[in-house]
Amino acid sequence: MTGPRLRLAFLLAGGVLLAALLARVDLGALREAVRRTAPAPLGAAVGFLGLNVLVKTGRWRWMIRRLTGRSLGLADATKAILAGVAAASFSPARTVDLAKPLLLRQRFDVALSTSTAAVLVERFM
Protein backbone atom coordinates (compact mmCIF):
# COMPACT_ATOMS: atom_id res chain seq x y z
CA MET A 1 0.00 0.00 0.00
CA THR A 2 1.56 3.29 -1.06
CA GLY A 3 0.86 6.98 -1.53
CA PRO A 4 -2.82 7.96 -1.64
CA ARG A 5 -4.04 4.55 -0.47
CA LEU A 6 -1.84 4.62 2.61
CA ARG A 7 -2.93 8.17 3.38
CA LEU A 8 -6.57 7.16 3.03
CA ALA A 9 -6.05 4.15 5.31
CA PHE A 10 -4.48 6.35 7.98
CA LEU A 11 -7.26 8.94 7.66
CA LEU A 12 -9.93 6.28 8.00
CA ALA A 13 -8.22 4.70 11.00
CA GLY A 14 -7.84 8.13 12.60
CA GLY A 15 -11.48 8.93 11.95
CA VAL A 16 -12.62 5.69 13.57
CA LEU A 17 -10.42 6.29 16.61
CA LEU A 18 -11.62 9.90 16.91
CA ALA A 19 -15.26 8.82 16.67
CA ALA A 20 -14.68 6.18 19.37
CA LEU A 21 -13.06 8.78 21.61
CA LEU A 22 -15.81 11.35 21.10
CA ALA A 23 -18.48 8.75 21.80
CA ARG A 24 -16.99 8.28 25.27
CA VAL A 25 -16.67 11.95 26.22
CA ASP A 26 -19.00 13.22 28.93
CA LEU A 27 -19.86 16.61 27.43
CA GLY A 28 -21.49 17.88 30.64
CA ALA A 29 -18.40 17.11 32.70
CA LEU A 30 -16.16 18.61 30.01
CA ARG A 31 -18.23 21.81 29.95
CA GLU A 32 -18.09 22.04 33.76
CA ALA A 33 -14.32 21.46 33.86
CA VAL A 34 -13.72 24.19 31.26
CA ARG A 35 -16.06 26.58 33.12
CA ARG A 36 -14.17 26.07 36.40
CA THR A 37 -10.72 26.47 34.85
CA ALA A 38 -8.95 29.76 35.43
CA PRO A 39 -8.22 31.51 32.10
CA ALA A 40 -4.59 32.45 32.84
CA PRO A 41 -3.29 28.93 33.61
CA LEU A 42 -5.28 27.50 30.70
CA GLY A 43 -3.83 30.13 28.36
CA ALA A 44 -0.33 29.45 29.66
CA ALA A 45 -0.78 25.71 29.13
CA VAL A 46 -1.96 26.25 25.55
CA GLY A 47 0.94 28.63 24.95
CA PHE A 48 3.49 26.13 26.28
CA LEU A 49 1.90 23.40 24.19
CA GLY A 50 2.34 25.56 21.09
CA LEU A 51 5.93 26.34 22.05
CA ASN A 52 6.65 22.64 22.57
CA VAL A 53 5.32 21.79 19.08
CA LEU A 54 7.33 24.68 17.60
CA VAL A 55 10.58 23.46 19.20
CA LYS A 56 9.95 19.86 18.08
CA THR A 57 9.13 21.09 14.58
CA GLY A 58 12.36 23.05 14.38
CA ARG A 59 14.37 20.14 15.66
CA TRP A 60 12.75 17.75 13.15
CA ARG A 61 13.39 20.15 10.25
CA TRP A 62 17.05 20.41 11.30
CA MET A 63 17.37 16.62 11.51
CA ILE A 64 15.77 16.14 8.07
CA ARG A 65 18.12 18.72 6.54
CA ARG A 66 21.09 16.87 8.07
CA LEU A 67 19.73 13.48 7.02
CA THR A 68 18.62 14.22 3.46
CA GLY A 69 20.27 17.51 2.54
CA ARG A 70 16.83 18.88 1.67
CA SER A 71 14.48 21.15 3.54
CA LEU A 72 11.14 20.08 4.94
CA GLY A 73 8.54 22.83 4.94
CA LEU A 74 7.25 24.21 8.24
CA ALA A 75 3.69 22.97 7.60
CA ASP A 76 4.86 19.46 6.69
CA ALA A 77 7.19 19.29 9.69
CA THR A 78 4.40 20.41 12.01
CA LYS A 79 2.04 17.82 10.55
CA ALA A 80 4.69 15.15 11.03
CA ILE A 81 5.19 16.13 14.67
CA LEU A 82 1.46 16.15 15.41
CA ALA A 83 0.88 12.87 13.56
CA GLY A 84 3.82 11.30 15.36
CA VAL A 85 2.53 12.36 18.76
CA ALA A 86 -0.97 11.11 17.93
CA ALA A 87 0.29 7.79 16.57
CA ALA A 88 2.67 7.23 19.47
CA SER A 89 -0.17 7.83 21.92
CA PHE A 90 -1.64 4.48 20.95
CA SER A 91 1.48 2.38 21.49
CA PRO A 92 2.96 1.25 24.80
CA ALA A 93 5.62 3.63 26.09
CA ARG A 94 5.36 5.60 22.81
CA THR A 95 7.52 2.98 21.13
CA VAL A 96 6.01 3.21 17.64
CA ASP A 97 6.14 6.43 15.67
CA LEU A 98 5.68 5.49 12.02
CA ALA A 99 4.26 8.81 10.86
CA LYS A 100 7.61 10.56 10.47
CA PRO A 101 9.48 7.66 8.79
CA LEU A 102 6.59 7.19 6.35
CA LEU A 103 6.60 10.91 5.55
CA LEU A 104 10.34 10.78 4.81
CA ARG A 105 9.93 7.70 2.65
CA GLN A 106 7.14 9.28 0.65
CA ARG A 107 8.64 12.76 0.39
CA PHE A 108 12.39 12.14 0.06
CA ASP A 109 12.60 8.39 -0.68
CA VAL A 110 14.59 7.86 2.53
CA ALA A 111 14.87 4.21 3.58
CA LEU A 112 12.63 3.30 6.51
CA SER A 113 15.65 1.99 8.44
CA THR A 114 17.37 5.37 8.17
CA SER A 115 14.29 7.42 9.01
CA THR A 116 13.36 5.15 11.91
CA ALA A 117 16.88 5.63 13.26
CA ALA A 118 16.34 9.39 12.99
CA VAL A 119 13.16 9.08 15.06
CA LEU A 120 15.07 7.13 17.72
CA VAL A 121 17.82 9.77 17.80
CA GLU A 122 15.15 12.45 18.14
CA ARG A 123 13.72 10.60 21.16
CA PHE A 124 17.07 10.80 22.89
CA MET A 125 17.31 14.52 22.18
Side-chain angles (χ1 to χ4, degrees), residues 29 35 97:
R35 187 186 66 73
D97 180 356

Side-chain angles (χ1 to χ4, degrees), residues 65-119:
R65 196 173 317 112
R66 300 275 301 176
L67 181 67
T68 67
R70 293 176 255 173
S71 293
L72 184 62
L74 183 62
D76 285 334
T78 303
K79 288 176 192 175
I81 293 300
L82 295 176
V85 168
S89 296
F90 292 101
S91 64
R94 295 180 46 129
T95 53
V96 179
D97 180 356
L98 292 177
K100 290 183 263 183
L102 288 172
L103 171 75
L104 290 178
R105 173 128 175 102
Q106 180 183 17
R107 204 78 191 275
F108 298 119
D109 199 31
V110 174
L112 285 176
S113 58
T114 304
S115 56
T116 303
V119 170

Side-chain angles (χ1 to χ4, degrees), residues 19-69:
L21 173 74
L22 292 177
R24 300 181 69 136
V25 171
D26 180 355
L27 293 178
L30 177 63
R31 201 175 301 117
E32 180 62 22
V34 170
R35 187 186 66 73
R36 292 187 344 200
T37 301
L42 180 60
V46 170
F48 284 123
L49 175 65
L51 182 61
N52 183 28
V53 170
L54 186 63
V55 168
K56 286 182 176 184
T57 298
R59 183 177 62 206
W60 186 243
R61 290 180 74 201
W62 175 80
M63 288 182 69
I64 297 310
R65 196 173 317 112
R66 300 275 301 176
L67 181 67
T68 67

